[in-house]
Coordinates of all heavy atoms in Angstrom, one line a residue:
M8 N -4.6 37.9 -1.5 CA -5.9 37.5 -1.8 C -6.9 38.1 -0.6 O -6.5 37.9 0.5 CB -6.0 35.9 -1.8 CG -7.3 35.4 -2.2 SD -7.5 33.6 -2.3 CE -6.0 32.9 -2.9
S9 N -7.9 38.5 -1.1 CA -8.9 39.1 -0.2 C -9.6 38.0 0.7 O -9.8 36.9 0.1 CB -9.8 40.1 -0.8 OG -10.7 39.3 -1.6
P10 N -10.0 38.3 1.9 CA -10.8 37.3 2.6 C -12.1 36.8 1.9 O -12.4 35.7 2.0 CB -11.1 38.0 3.9 CG -10.3 39.3 4.0 CD -9.8 39.6 2.5
E11 N -12.7 37.7 1.2 CA -13.9 37.2 0.4 C -13.7 36.1 -0.6 O -14.4 35.2 -0.7 CB -14.7 38.5 -0.2 CG -15.2 39.5 0.8 CD -14.1 40.5 1.1 OE1 -13.0 40.6 0.4 OE2 -14.3 41.3 2.1
I12 N -12.5 36.3 -1.3 CA -12.2 35.4 -2.4 C -11.8 34.1 -1.7 O -12.1 33.0 -2.1 CB -11.1 35.9 -3.2 CG1 -11.6 37.1 -4.1 CG2 -10.5 34.8 -4.2 CD1 -10.5 37.7 -4.9
A13 N -11.1 34.1 -0.6 CA -10.7 32.9 0.1 C -11.9 32.2 0.7 O -12.0 30.9 0.6 CB -9.7 33.2 1.3
I14 N -12.9 32.9 1.2 CA -14.0 32.2 1.7 C -14.9 31.6 0.5 O -15.4 30.5 0.7 CB -14.9 33.3 2.5 CG1 -14.2 33.7 3.8 CG2 -16.3 32.7 2.8 CD1 -14.9 34.9 4.5
A15 N -14.9 32.4 -0.6 CA -15.6 31.8 -1.7 C -14.9 30.5 -2.3 O -15.7 29.5 -2.6 CB -15.7 32.8 -2.9
L16 N -13.6 30.5 -2.3 CA -12.9 29.3 -2.8 C -13.2 28.1 -1.8 O -13.3 27.0 -2.2 CB -11.5 29.6 -2.9 CG -11.1 30.5 -4.2 CD1 -9.6 30.8 -4.1 CD2 -11.5 29.8 -5.4
I17 N -13.1 28.4 -0.5 CA -13.3 27.3 0.5 C -14.8 26.8 0.4 O -15.0 25.6 0.5 CB -13.0 27.9 1.9 CG1 -11.5 28.1 2.0 CG2 -13.5 26.9 3.0 CD1 -11.1 28.8 3.4
T18 N -15.7 27.7 0.1 CA -17.1 27.3 0.0 C -17.4 26.4 -1.3 O -18.0 25.4 -1.3 CB -18.0 28.5 -0.1 OG1 -17.8 29.3 1.0 CG2 -19.4 28.1 -0.2
V19 N -16.7 26.8 -2.4 CA -16.8 26.0 -3.6 C -16.1 24.7 -3.4 O -16.6 23.6 -3.8 CB -16.1 26.8 -4.7 CG1 -16.0 25.9 -5.9 CG2 -16.9 28.0 -5.1
A20 N -15.0 24.6 -2.8 CA -14.3 23.4 -2.5 C -15.1 22.5 -1.6 O -15.3 21.3 -1.8 CB -12.9 23.6 -1.9
G21 N -15.7 23.1 -0.6 CA -16.5 22.2 0.3 C -17.8 21.7 -0.4 O -18.2 20.6 -0.2
T22 N -18.3 22.5 -1.2 CA -19.5 22.1 -1.9 C -19.2 20.9 -2.9 O -20.0 20.0 -3.0 CB -20.2 23.3 -2.7 OG1 -20.4 24.3 -1.8 CG2 -21.4 22.9 -3.4
I23 N -18.0 21.0 -3.7 CA -17.7 20.0 -4.6 C -17.4 18.7 -3.8 O -17.8 17.6 -4.2 CB -16.4 20.4 -5.4 CG1 -16.9 21.5 -6.4 CG2 -15.9 19.3 -6.2 CD1 -15.8 22.2 -7.1
L24 N -16.7 18.9 -2.7 CA -16.3 17.7 -1.8 C -17.6 17.0 -1.3 O -17.7 15.8 -1.3 CB -15.4 18.1 -0.7 CG -14.9 17.0 0.2 CD1 -14.1 16.0 -0.6 CD2 -14.2 17.5 1.4
A25 N -18.6 17.8 -0.9 CA -19.8 17.2 -0.4 C -20.6 16.5 -1.5 O -21.2 15.4 -1.3 CB -20.7 18.3 0.2
A26 N -20.6 17.1 -2.7 CA -21.3 16.4 -3.9 C -20.6 15.1 -4.2 O -21.2 14.1 -4.5 CB -21.2 17.4 -5.1
V27 N -19.2 15.1 -4.2 CA -18.5 13.8 -4.5 C -18.8 12.8 -3.4 O -19.1 11.6 -3.8 CB -17.0 14.1 -4.6 CG1 -16.2 12.8 -4.6 CG2 -16.7 15.0 -5.8
V28 N -18.8 13.1 -2.2 CA -19.1 12.1 -1.1 C -20.4 11.7 -1.3 O -20.7 10.4 -1.0 CB -18.8 12.8 0.3 CG1 -19.3 12.0 1.4 CG2 -17.2 13.1 0.4
A29 N -21.4 12.5 -1.6 CA -22.8 12.1 -1.7 C -22.9 11.2 -2.9 O -23.8 10.3 -2.9 CB -23.7 13.3 -1.7
A30 N -22.2 11.4 -3.9 CA -22.4 10.6 -5.2 C -21.7 9.3 -5.2 O -22.0 8.4 -6.0 CB -21.9 11.5 -6.4
V31 N -20.7 9.1 -4.3 CA -19.9 7.8 -4.3 C -20.8 6.6 -4.1 O -20.6 5.7 -5.0 CB -18.8 7.9 -3.3 CG1 -18.2 6.6 -3.0 CG2 -17.7 8.9 -3.7
P32 N -21.7 6.5 -3.1 CA -22.5 5.4 -3.1 C -23.4 5.1 -4.3 O -23.5 4.0 -4.7 CB -23.4 5.6 -1.8 CG -22.7 6.6 -1.1 CD -21.9 7.5 -2.0
A33 N -23.9 6.1 -4.9 CA -24.7 6.0 -6.0 C -23.9 5.5 -7.2 O -24.3 4.6 -8.0 CB -25.4 7.3 -6.4
L34 N -22.7 6.0 -7.4 CA -21.8 5.5 -8.5 C -21.4 4.1 -8.3 O -21.3 3.4 -9.2 CB -20.6 6.5 -8.5 CG -20.8 7.8 -9.1 CD1 -19.5 8.7 -8.9 CD2 -21.2 7.8 -10.5
L35 N -21.1 3.7 -7.0 CA -20.7 2.3 -6.7 C -21.9 1.3 -7.1 O -21.6 0.3 -7.7 CB -20.3 2.1 -5.3 CG -19.0 2.8 -5.0 CD1 -18.7 2.6 -3.5 CD2 -17.8 2.2 -5.8
A36 N -23.0 1.7 -6.7 CA -24.3 0.9 -7.0 C -24.4 0.8 -8.6 O -24.8 -0.2 -9.1 CB -25.5 1.5 -6.4
L37 N -24.2 1.9 -9.2 CA -24.4 2.0 -10.7 C -23.3 1.0 -11.3 O -23.6 0.3 -12.3 CB -24.2 3.4 -11.2 CG -24.3 3.6 -12.7 CD1 -25.6 3.1 -13.3 CD2 -23.9 4.9 -13.1
F38 N -22.1 1.1 -10.8 CA -21.0 0.2 -11.4 C -21.3 -1.2 -11.2 O -21.1 -2.1 -12.0 CB -19.7 0.6 -10.8 CG -19.1 1.9 -11.3 CD1 -18.4 2.8 -10.5 CD2 -19.4 2.3 -12.6 CE1 -17.9 4.0 -10.9 CE2 -18.8 3.6 -13.1 CZ -18.1 4.4 -12.2
R39 N -21.9 -1.6 -10.0 CA -22.2 -2.9 -9.7 C -23.3 -3.4 -10.7 O -23.2 -4.6 -11.2 CB -22.6 -3.1 -8.3 CG -21.5 -3.1 -7.3 CD -21.9 -3.4 -5.9 NE -21.0 -2.8 -5.0 CZ -21.4 -1.9 -4.1 NH1 -22.5 -1.6 -3.9 NH2 -20.4 -1.5 -3.3
R40 N -24.3 -2.6 -10.8 CA -25.4 -3.0 -11.7 C -24.9 -3.1 -13.2 O -25.3 -4.1 -13.9 CB -26.6 -2.0 -11.7 CG -27.7 -2.4 -10.9 CD -28.8 -1.4 -10.9 NE -28.4 -0.3 -10.1 CZ -28.7 0.9 -10.3 NH1 -29.5 1.3 -11.3 NH2 -28.2 2.0 -9.7
T41 N -24.1 -2.2 -13.6 CA -23.6 -2.3 -15.0 C -22.7 -3.4 -15.1 O -22.8 -4.1 -16.2 CB -22.8 -1.0 -15.3 OG1 -23.6 0.2 -15.0 CG2 -22.4 -0.9 -16.7
A42 N -21.9 -3.7 -14.2 CA -21.0 -4.9 -14.3 C -21.9 -6.2 -14.4 O -21.5 -7.1 -15.2 CB -20.1 -5.0 -13.2
G43 N -22.9 -6.3 -13.7 CA -23.7 -7.5 -13.7 C -24.5 -7.6 -15.1 O -24.6 -8.7 -15.7
A44 N -24.9 -6.5 -15.6 CA -25.6 -6.5 -17.0 C -24.6 -6.9 -18.0 O -24.9 -7.6 -19.0 CB -26.2 -5.1 -17.2
V45 N -23.3 -6.4 -18.0 CA -22.4 -6.7 -19.0 C -22.0 -8.2 -18.9 O -21.9 -8.9 -19.9 CB -21.1 -5.9 -18.8 CG1 -20.0 -6.3 -19.6 CG2 -21.4 -4.4 -19.1
A46 N -21.9 -8.7 -17.7 CA -21.6 -10.1 -17.5 C -22.8 -11.0 -18.1 O -22.5 -12.0 -18.8 CB -21.4 -10.5 -16.1
A47 N -24.0 -10.6 -17.8 CA -25.1 -11.3 -18.4 C -25.2 -11.3 -19.9 O -25.4 -12.3 -20.5 CB -26.4 -10.8 -17.7
E48 N -24.9 -10.1 -20.4 CA -25.0 -9.9 -21.8 C -23.8 -10.7 -22.5 O -23.9 -11.2 -23.6 CB -25.0 -8.5 -22.3 CG -25.2 -8.3 -23.7 CD -25.6 -6.9 -24.0 OE1 -26.3 -6.2 -23.3 OE2 -25.2 -6.4 -25.1
G49 N -22.6 -10.7 -21.8 CA -21.5 -11.4 -22.3 C -21.8 -12.9 -22.4 O -21.5 -13.6 -23.3
T50 N -22.6 -13.4 -21.4 CA -22.9 -14.8 -21.5 C -23.9 -15.1 -22.6 O -23.7 -16.1 -23.3 CB -23.6 -15.2 -20.1 OG1 -22.7 -14.9 -19.0 CG2 -24.0 -16.7 -20.1
A51 N -24.8 -14.3 -22.9 CA -25.8 -14.4 -23.9 C -25.0 -14.4 -25.3 O -25.3 -15.2 -26.2 CB -26.9 -13.3 -23.9
T52 N -24.1 -13.4 -25.3 CA -23.3 -13.4 -26.6 C -22.5 -14.6 -26.8 O -22.5 -15.2 -28.0 CB -22.3 -12.1 -26.5 OG1 -23.1 -11.0 -26.3 CG2 -21.5 -12.0 -27.9
R53 N -21.9 -15.2 -25.8 CA -21.1 -16.3 -25.9 C -22.0 -17.5 -26.3 O -21.5 -18.4 -27.2 CB -20.4 -16.7 -24.6 CG -19.0 -15.9 -24.5 CD -18.2 -16.4 -23.2 NE -17.9 -15.3 -22.5 CZ -18.4 -14.7 -21.5 NH1 -19.5 -15.3 -21.0 NH2 -18.0 -13.6 -20.9
E54 N -23.1 -17.6 -25.7 CA -24.1 -18.7 -26.1 C -24.5 -18.6 -27.6 O -24.5 -19.6 -28.3 CB -25.2 -18.7 -25.2 CG -24.9 -19.2 -23.8 CD -26.1 -19.0 -22.9 OE1 -27.1 -18.4 -23.2 OE2 -25.9 -19.4 -21.7
A55 N -24.7 -17.3 -28.0 CA -25.1 -17.1 -29.4 C -24.0 -17.5 -30.4 O -24.2 -18.1 -31.4 CB -25.6 -15.7 -29.6
L56 N -22.8 -17.1 -30.0 CA -21.6 -17.5 -30.8 C -21.4 -19.0 -30.9 O -21.0 -19.5 -31.9 CB -20.4 -16.8 -30.3 CG -20.3 -15.3 -30.6 CD1 -19.1 -14.6 -30.0 CD2 -20.3 -15.0 -32.1
D57 N -21.6 -19.7 -29.8 CA -21.5 -21.1 -29.8 C -22.5 -21.8 -30.7 O -22.3 -22.7 -31.4 CB -21.8 -21.7 -28.3 CG -20.5 -21.4 -27.5 OD1 -19.4 -21.1 -28.0 OD2 -20.7 -21.4 -26.2
G58 N -23.8 -21.2 -30.7 CA -24.8 -21.7 -31.6 C -24.4 -21.5 -33.0 O -24.5 -22.3 -33.9
I59 N -23.9 -20.3 -33.3 CA -23.4 -20.0 -34.7 C -22.3 -20.9 -35.1 O -22.2 -21.5 -36.2 CB -22.9 -18.5 -34.8 CG1 -24.2 -17.6 -34.7 CG2 -22.2 -18.3 -36.1 CD1 -23.9 -16.2 -34.6
A60 N -21.3 -21.2 -34.2 CA -20.2 -22.1 -34.5 C -20.7 -23.5 -34.7 O -20.2 -24.1 -35.7 CB -19.2 -22.1 -33.3
T61 N -21.6 -24.0 -34.0 CA -22.2 -25.3 -34.3 C -22.8 -25.4 -35.6 O -22.6 -26.3 -36.4 CB -23.2 -25.6 -33.2 OG1 -22.6 -25.6 -31.9 CG2 -23.8 -27.0 -33.3
T62 N -23.6 -24.4 -36.0 CA -24.2 -24.4 -37.3 C -23.2 -24.3 -38.4 O -23.3 -25.0 -39.4 CB -25.2 -23.1 -37.4 OG1 -26.1 -23.2 -36.4 CG2 -26.0 -23.2 -38.7
L63 N -22.2 -23.5 -38.2 CA -21.2 -23.4 -39.2 C -20.4 -24.7 -39.4 O -20.1 -25.1 -40.5 CB -20.1 -22.2 -38.8 CG -19.0 -22.0 -39.8 CD1 -19.5 -21.5 -41.1 CD2 -18.1 -20.9 -39.2
H64 N -20.0 -25.4 -38.3 CA -19.4 -26.7 -38.4 C -20.2 -27.7 -39.1 O -19.7 -28.4 -39.9 CB -19.0 -27.2 -37.0 CG -17.8 -26.4 -36.4 ND1 -16.6 -26.3 -37.0 CD2 -17.7 -25.7 -35.3 CE1 -15.7 -25.6 -36.2 NE2 -16.5 -25.2 -35.1
Q65 N -21.5 -27.6 -38.9 CA -22.4 -28.6 -39.5 C -22.4 -28.3 -41.0 O -22.3 -29.2 -41.9 CB -23.8 -28.5 -39.0 CG -24.8 -29.4 -39.6 CD -24.4 -30.9 -39.4 OE1 -23.9 -31.3 -38.4 NE2 -24.5 -31.7 -40.4
R66 N -22.5 -27.0 -41.4 CA -22.5 -26.7 -42.8 C -21.2 -27.1 -43.5 O -21.2 -27.5 -44.6 CB -22.7 -25.1 -42.9 CG -22.9 -24.6 -44.4 CD -24.1 -25.2 -45.0 NE -24.0 -24.9 -46.5 CZ -24.1 -25.8 -47.4 NH1 -24.4 -27.1 -47.2 NH2 -24.1 -25.4 -48.7
I67 N -20.1 -26.8 -42.8 CA -18.8 -27.2 -43.4 C -18.7 -28.7 -43.6 O -18.3 -29.2 -44.6 CB -17.6 -26.8 -42.4 CG1 -17.5 -25.3 -42.5 CG2 -16.3 -27.5 -42.8 CD1 -16.6 -24.7 -41.4
N68 N -19.3 -29.5 -42.7 CA -19.3 -31.0 -42.8 C -20.2 -31.3 -44.1 O -19.8 -32.3 -44.8 CB -19.7 -31.6 -41.6 CG -18.7 -31.6 -40.5 OD1 -17.5 -31.4 -40.7 ND2 -19.1 -31.6 -39.2
D69 N -21.3 -30.7 -44.2 CA -22.1 -31.0 -45.3 C -21.5 -30.7 -46.6 O -21.5 -31.4 -47.6 CB -23.5 -30.1 -45.3 CG -24.4 -30.5 -44.1 OD1 -24.2 -31.6 -43.5 OD2 -25.3 -29.8 -43.7
V70 N -20.7 -29.5 -46.7 CA -20.0 -29.1 -47.9 C -19.0 -30.2 -48.2 O -18.8 -30.6 -49.4 CB -19.4 -27.8 -47.8 CG1 -18.4 -27.4 -48.9 CG2 -20.5 -26.7 -47.8
R71 N -18.3 -30.6 -47.2 CA -17.2 -31.7 -47.4 C -17.8 -33.0 -47.9 O -17.3 -33.6 -48.8 CB -16.5 -32.0 -46.1 CG -15.5 -30.9 -45.7 CD -14.8 -31.3 -44.4 NE -13.9 -30.2 -44.1 CZ -13.5 -30.0 -42.9 NH1 -13.8 -30.7 -41.9 NH2 -12.6 -29.0 -42.6
D72 N -19.0 -33.4 -47.4 CA -19.7 -34.5 -47.9 C -20.1 -34.3 -49.4 O -20.0 -35.2 -50.2 CB -21.0 -34.8 -47.1 CG -20.6 -35.2 -45.7 OD1 -19.5 -35.7 -45.5 OD2 -21.6 -35.2 -44.8
D73 N -20.6 -33.1 -49.7 CA -20.9 -32.8 -51.2 C -19.7 -32.9 -52.0 O -19.8 -33.5 -53.1 CB -21.5 -31.4 -51.2 CG -22.8 -31.2 -50.6 OD1 -23.5 -32.3 -50.4 OD2 -23.3 -30.2 -50.5
I74 N -18.5 -32.4 -51.5 CA -17.3 -32.5 -52.3 C -16.9 -34.0 -52.5 O -16.4 -34.4 -53.6 CB -16.2 -31.7 -51.7 CG1 -16.5 -30.2 -51.7 CG2 -14.8 -32.0 -52.2 CD1 -15.5 -29.3 -50.9
D75 N -17.0 -34.8 -51.5 CA -16.6 -36.2 -51.6 C -17.6 -36.9 -52.7 O -17.2 -37.7 -53.5 CB -16.8 -36.9 -50.3 CG -15.8 -36.5 -49.3 OD1 -14.7 -36.0 -49.7 OD2 -16.1 -36.7 -48.0
G76 N -18.8 -36.5 -52.7 CA -19.8 -37.0 -53.7 C -19.3 -36.6 -55.2 O -19.4 -37.4 -56.0
V77 N -19.0 -35.4 -55.3 CA -18.5 -34.9 -56.6 C -17.2 -35.6 -57.0 O -17.1 -36.0 -58.2 CB -18.3 -33.3 -56.6 CG1 -17.6 -32.9 -57.8 CG2 -19.6 -32.6 -56.4
R78 N -16.3 -35.9 -56.1 CA -15.1 -36.6 -56.4 C -15.5 -38.0 -56.9 O -14.8 -38.6 -57.8 CB -14.2 -36.7 -55.2 CG -13.5 -35.4 -54.9 CD -12.6 -35.4 -53.7 NE -11.9 -34.2 -53.5 CZ -11.4 -33.8 -52.4 NH1 -11.5 -34.5 -51.3 NH2 -10.8 -32.6 -52.3
E79 N -16.4 -38.6 -56.2 CA -16.8 -40.0 -56.6 C -17.4 -39.9 -58.0 O -17.1 -40.8 -58.9 CB -17.8 -40.6 -55.6 CG -17.2 -40.9 -54.3 CD -18.3 -41.3 -53.3 OE1 -19.5 -41.4 -53.6 OE2 -17.9 -41.4 -52.1
D80 N -18.2 -38.9 -58.3 CA -18.8 -38.8 -59.7 C -17.7 -38.7 -60.7 O -17.7 -39.2 -61.8 CB -19.8 -37.7 -59.7 CG -21.0 -38.0 -58.9 OD1 -21.3 -39.1 -58.5 OD2 -21.8 -36.9 -58.6
V81 N -16.8 -37.8 -60.4 CA -15.7 -37.5 -61.3 C -14.8 -38.8 -61.6 O -14.5 -39.1 -62.8 CB -14.8 -36.4 -60.9 CG1 -13.5 -36.2 -61.6 CG2 -15.5 -35.0 -60.9
A82 N -14.6 -39.6 -60.6 CA -13.8 -40.8 -60.6 C -14.6 -41.8 -61.6 O -14.0 -42.5 -62.4 CB -13.6 -41.4 -59.3
R83 N -16.0 -41.9 -61.4 CA -16.8 -42.7 -62.3 C -16.7 -42.3 -63.7 O -16.6 -43.1 -64.7 CB -18.2 -42.8 -61.8 CG -18.4 -43.8 -60.6 CD -19.9 -44.0 -60.4 NE -20.7 -42.8 -60.0 CZ -20.8 -42.4 -58.7 NH1 -20.3 -43.1 -57.7 NH2 -21.5 -41.3 -58.4
V84 N -16.8 -41.0 -64.0 CA -16.7 -40.5 -65.3 C -15.3 -40.8 -65.9 O -15.3 -41.3 -67.1 CB -17.0 -39.0 -65.4 CG1 -16.6 -38.3 -66.7 CG2 -18.4 -38.7 -65.0
R85 N -14.3 -40.6 -65.1 CA -12.9 -40.9 -65.7 C -12.8 -42.4 -66.0 O -12.1 -42.8 -67.0 CB -11.9 -40.5 -64.7 CG -11.7 -39.0 -64.6 CD -10.6 -38.6 -63.7 NE -10.4 -37.1 -63.7 CZ -9.8 -36.5 -62.9 NH1 -9.2 -37.1 -61.8 NH2 -9.6 -35.2 -62.9
E86 N -13.4 -43.3 -65.2 CA -13.3 -44.7 -65.4 C -14.0 -45.0 -66.7 O -13.6 -45.7 -67.5 CB -14.0 -45.5 -64.3 CG -13.1 -45.6 -63.0 CD -13.9 -46.1 -61.8 OE1 -15.1 -46.6 -62.1 OE2 -13.3 -46.1 -60.7
W87 N -15.2 -44.5 -66.9 CA -16.0 -44.7 -68.1 C -15.3 -44.1 -69.3 O -15.1 -44.8 -70.3 CB -17.3 -43.9 -68.0 CG -18.1 -44.1 -69.3 CD1 -18.9 -45.0 -69.7 CD2 -18.1 -43.1 -70.5 NE1 -19.4 -44.8 -70.9 CE2 -18.9 -43.6 -71.4 CE3 -17.4 -42.0 -70.6 CZ2 -19.1 -43.0 -72.6 CZ3 -17.6 -41.3 -71.8 CH2 -18.4 -41.8 -72.9
Q88 N -14.6 -43.0 -69.2 CA -13.9 -42.3 -70.3 C -12.7 -43.2 -70.7 O -12.4 -43.4 -71.9 CB -13.3 -41.0 -69.9 CG -13.0 -40.1 -71.0 CD -12.7 -38.7 -70.5 OE1 -12.4 -38.5 -69.3 NE2 -12.8 -37.8 -71.4
A89 N -12.0 -43.8 -69.6 CA -10.8 -44.6 -70.0 C -11.4 -46.0 -70.7 O -10.7 -46.4 -71.7 CB -10.2 -45.1 -68.7
G90 N -12.5 -46.5 -70.2 CA -13.1 -47.7 -71.0 C -13.4 -47.3 -72.3 O -13.2 -48.1 -73.3
H91 N -14.0 -46.2 -72.6 CA -14.5 -45.7 -73.9 C -13.3 -45.5 -74.8 O -13.3 -46.0 -75.9 CB -15.2 -44.5 -73.7 CG -15.8 -44.0 -74.9 ND1 -16.9 -44.6 -75.6 CD2 -15.5 -42.9 -75.8 CE1 -17.2 -43.9 -76.7 NE2 -16.3 -42.9 -76.9
D92 N -12.2 -44.9 -74.3 CA -11.0 -44.8 -75.0 C -10.4 -46.1 -75.4 O -9.9 -46.3 -76.6 CB -9.9 -44.0 -74.2 CG -10.3 -42.4 -74.2 OD1 -11.2 -42.1 -74.9 OD2 -9.7 -41.8 -73.4
A93 N -10.4 -47.1 -74.5 CA -9.9 -48.4 -74.7 C -10.7 -49.0 -75.8 O -10.1 -49.8 -76.7 CB -9.9 -49.2 -73.4
E94 N -12.0 -48.9 -75.9 CA -12.8 -49.5 -76.9 C -12.4 -48.9 -78.3 O -12.3 -49.7 -79.2 CB -14.4 -49.2 -76.6 CG -14.9 -49.9 -75.5 CD -16.3 -49.4 -75.2 OE1 -16.7 -48.4 -75.8 OE2 -17.0 -50.0 -74.4
H95 N -12.2 -47.7 -78.4 CA -11.7 -47.0 -79.6 C -10.4 -47.6 -80.1 O -10.2 -47.8 -81.2 CB -11.7 -45.5 -79.5 CG -13.0 -44.8 -79.6 ND1 -13.7 -44.6 -80.8 CD2 -13.9 -44.5 -78.7 CE1 -14.8 -44.0 -80.6 NE2 -15.0 -44.0 -79.4
L96 N -9.6 -47.8 -79.1 CA -8.2 -48.4 -79.4 C -8.4 -49.8 -79.9 O -7.7 -50.2 -80.9 CB -7.3 -48.3 -78.2 CG -6.8 -46.9 -77.8 CD1 -6.0 -47.1 -76.5 CD2 -5.9 -46.4 -78.9
L97 N -9.3 -50.6 -79.3 CA -9.4 -52.0 -79.7 C -10.1 -52.1 -81.0 O -9.8 -52.9 -81.8 CB -10.3 -52.7 -78.6 CG -9.5 -53.0 -77.3 CD1 -10.6 -53.6 -76.3 CD2 -8.3 -53.9 -77.5
I98 N -11.0 -51.2 -81.3 CA -11.7 -51.2 -82.6 C -10.7 -50.7 -83.8 O -10.9 -51.3 -84.8 CB -12.9 -50.1 -82.5 CG1 -14.0 -50.7 -81.6 CG2 -13.5 -50.0 -83.9 CD1 -15.1 -49.8 -81.4
G99 N -9.8 -49.9 -83.4 CA -8.8 -49.6 -84.4 C -9.2 -48.4 -85.2 O -8.5 -48.0 -86.1
R100 N -10.3 -47.8 -84.8 CA -10.7 -46.5 -85.7 C -10.1 -45.3 -84.9 O -10.2 -45.2 -83.7 CB -12.1 -46.3 -85.7 CG -12.7 -47.3 -86.7 CD -14.2 -46.9 -87.0 NE -15.0 -47.9 -86.1 CZ -16.2 -47.6 -85.7 NH1 -16.8 -46.5 -86.1 NH2 -16.8 -48.4 -85.0
P101 N -9.5 -44.4 -85.6 CA -9.1 -43.2 -84.9 C -10.3 -42.4 -84.4 O -11.4 -42.4 -85.0 CB -8.3 -42.5 -86.0 CG -8.7 -42.9 -87.3 CD -9.3 -44.4 -87.0
R102 N -10.0 -41.7 -83.3 CA -11.1 -40.9 -82.7 C -11.2 -39.6 -83.5 O -10.2 -39.1 -84.1 CB -10.8 -40.5 -81.3 CG -10.9 -41.7 -80.4 CD -10.4 -41.6 -79.0 NE -10.9 -40.3 -78.4 CZ -10.4 -39.9 -77.3 NH1 -9.5 -40.6 -76.6 NH2 -10.8 -38.7 -76.8
P103 N -12.4 -39.1 -83.7 CA -12.6 -37.8 -84.4 C -11.8 -36.7 -83.7 O -11.7 -36.8 -82.5 CB -14.1 -37.5 -84.4 CG -14.7 -38.9 -84.0 CD -13.6 -39.7 -83.3
R104 N -11.4 -35.7 -84.5 CA -10.7 -34.7 -83.9 C -11.6 -33.8 -83.0 O -12.7 -33.7 -83.2 CB -10.3 -33.6 -85.0 CG -9.0 -34.1 -85.7 CD -8.4 -33.0 -86.4 NE -7.0 -33.1 -86.2 CZ -6.1 -32.3 -86.5 NH1 -6.5 -31.1 -87.1 NH2 -4.8 -32.5 -86.3
G105 N -10.9 -33.3 -81.9 CA -11.7 -32.5 -81.0 C -12.3 -33.3 -79.8 O -12.8 -32.8 -78.9
E106 N -12.4 -34.6 -80.0 CA -12.9 -35.5 -78.9 C -11.8 -35.8 -77.9 O -10.7 -36.3 -78.3 CB -13.4 -36.8 -79.5 CG -14.2 -37.6 -78.4 CD -14.8 -38.9 -79.1 OE1 -15.4 -38.8 -80.2 OE2 -14.7 -39.9 -78.5
A107 N -12.0 -35.5 -76.7 CA -10.9 -35.7 -75.8 C -11.1 -37.0 -74.9 O -12.2 -37.5 -74.7 CB -10.9 -34.5 -74.8

């Protein structure tokens, strides 16, 4: 290898090393700032998800209450239907076809 090529390689290596050494403090500062921003955004995301979870649980409870109301209505209809069927049996007339 000629001395000119060796000098050029040493110069390139020295320049790259100097750039890396100069960039390390800036990179560390950037990483610290980015980590803080990510943590802050993560907190905001967790709070938003907690709000969504609260709303979702409330809606699920509302639907369960609605289902309970429907079950009560169905039970009342079945009671009425049983009484109505009993009336027909007591009267002694056969029920028309198709009536359940």
Side-chain angles (χ1 to χ4, degrees):
M8 181 179 327
S9 71
E11 294 87 16
I12 294 177
I14 292 172
L16 289 176
I17 292 171
T18 305
V19 168
T22 305
I23 291 174
L24 183 63
V27 168
V28 168
V31 166
L34 287 172
L35 289 176
L37 177 66
F38 289 143
R39 283 189 206 118
R40 259 185 285 148
T41 306
V45 169
E48 189 163 321
T50 302
T52 302
R53 277 188 229 96
E54 289 173 357
L56 287 175
D57 288 341
I59 291 171
T61 301
T62 304
L63 181 62
H64 287 301
Q65 182 60 42
R66 183 65 188 127
I67 288 170
N68 290 336
D69 291 347
V70 168
R71 284 182 182 156
D72 292 343
D73 291 346
I74 290 172
D75 290 341
V77 170
R78 285 181 179 154
E79 290 172 6
D80 291 343
V81 168
R83 279 194 295 272
V84 168
R85 285 183 178 165
E86 289 170 4
W87 174 87
Q88 198 172 23
H91 184 73
D92 290 345
E94 288 174 351
H95 281 275
L96 288 173
L97 290 174
I98 293 172
R100 282 191 265 158
R102 290 174 40 191
R104 277 195 143 193
E106 188 176 316

